Amino acid sequence: MRVLIVDDHEEVRDLLVRSLRREGHEVLAAATAGEARARFAAGALDVVVLDVALPDGSGIDLCSELRQSGVSTPVLLLTAHAAVPERVAGLDAGADDFLGKPFAVSELRARVRALGRRGPAMRPMETRCGDALLDFRARRAERAGVEVPLTAREWSLLELLAARSGRFVSRGEILELVWGAEVEATASLEVLVARIRRKLGEGVLRTMRGHGYALAVD
C-alpha cells in the first residue's frame, strides 16, 4: 500500500515511516498541511495517517477540504488522548478512523491495514429517499423541493448510513462513529432519528428493532 504520514513531530513521523516500511508499504511523509496537499497532487494514495495539530493548519480542516474536493482515500486521524469533541469533529469532517495519542505503533499498523483492506469509502454525492434529496458535497437537504436545515450531527448520521448503501448499521457502531465514543447516548440517538424523520419524512430511515438503522435509499 502507498501510505502518507502527516505529522510535524519528526521523531513520531520517522518512527511511523520506518515501522510501516518494514511491513512492506510504500510510505511518504509530510510535516505540514501544505506538504500533504503536494503529496496528494503527486499521485494516488491508499491510506493517510493525519495528525490533527499541524503548524500551518488543522488536520481536521485538511480532511474536510479533501472530502469536499472529492478525495475518498481513507484517513486515520491522530488526536489528543481522550479528546472526544475533537474526534467527533474529525468524523464530521470525513475521517474514517481515529487513534488517540499516545498510541501503540502495533495498533496503528493494524488500523492502517484495516483501512487499506476497506479501500476508498464510496461517499455518495447525492442520495434520494422518497421526496427527500440529500446533497452530501454541499450539505444541502431538500424535501419536496424545499430546503431543510440539518445539524452537523444529523449530517454525520446520514453520511454514515448513506456510505453503507442501505445496509443496517448497529446502534453501537453509530454511537461510536457519530458521538465519538460508545457513551450512554441511546436516548440521544433516538431523538436524532426522530428529528431527521420529522424533517425529511418518516420513511427516510428504516429501523431494525434491537439492532440499528438504515437509510431508505431509492
Side-chain angles (χ1 to χ4, degrees), residues 3-218:
V3 182
L4 174 62
I5 305 295
V6 187
D7 197 305
D8 64 322
H9 290 88
E10 185 176 0
E11 290 183 4
V12 173
R13 191 171 63 247
D14 290 349
L15 171 64
L16 296 181
V17 168
R18 290 195 307 271
S19 179
L20 289 170
R21 280 178 178 167
R22 282 198 296 270
E23 287 204 335
H25 304 300
E26 179 185 353
V27 186
L28 308 176
T32 65
E35 290 179 14
R37 292 187 187 96
R39 293 294 194 186
F40 269 98
L45 298 164
D46 295 303
V47 177
V48 178
V49 179
L50 178 60
D51 191 20
V52 166
L54 297 172
D56 58 341
S58 163
I60 292 174
D61 291 341
L62 176 58
C63 183
S64 178
E65 175 187 323
L66 293 171
R67 296 304 185 223
Q68 289 174 14
S69 66
V71 174
S72 58
T73 304
V75 173
L76 169 61
L77 278 182
L78 302 181
T79 69
H81 181 62
V84 172
E86 192 172 70
R87 297 201 302 271
V88 171
L91 293 167
D92 284 345
D96 298 88
D97 196 3
F98 57 82
L99 187 58
K101 291 184 174 181
F103 54 83
V105 175
S106 59
E107 182 179 0
L108 182 138
R109 291 198 305 262
R111 289 176 181 265
V112 166
R113 291 194 300 270
L115 289 176
R117 289 193 299 269
R118 183 190 307 174
M122 299 304 293
R123 302 175 186 277
M125 293 299 101
E126 286 190 357
T127 296
R128 183 171 291 280
C129 307
D131 64 351
L133 177 65
L134 304 173
D135 182 342
F136 291 102
R137 175 170 288 182
R139 283 208 163 189
R140 177 185 172 89
E142 295 181 0
R143 183 181 183 188
V146 179
E147 185 172 0
V148 177
L150 298 177
T151 66
R153 185 157 283 167
E154 288 165 353
W155 276 115
S156 294
L157 176 57
L158 290 168
E159 286 170 340
L160 171 61
L161 298 180
R164 302 300 173 87
S165 304
R167 296 189 300 274
F168 281 95
V169 182
S170 71
R171 290 172 175 268
E173 187 173 0
I174 292 171
L175 294 176
E176 175 70 24
L177 294 177
V178 175
W179 270 264
E182 200 164 333
V183 296
E184 293 182 5
T186 301
S188 298
L189 171 58
E190 291 177 354
V191 168
L192 192 69
V193 167
R195 216 162 56 204
I196 290 173
R197 284 172 167 157
R198 186 170 63 250
K199 292 179 179 181
L200 299 177
E202 286 293 326
V204 71
L205 297 179
R206 295 187 294 145
T207 301
M208 181 183 288
R209 190 175 300 277
H211 178 69
Y213 299 95
L215 194 64
V217 294
D218 289 351

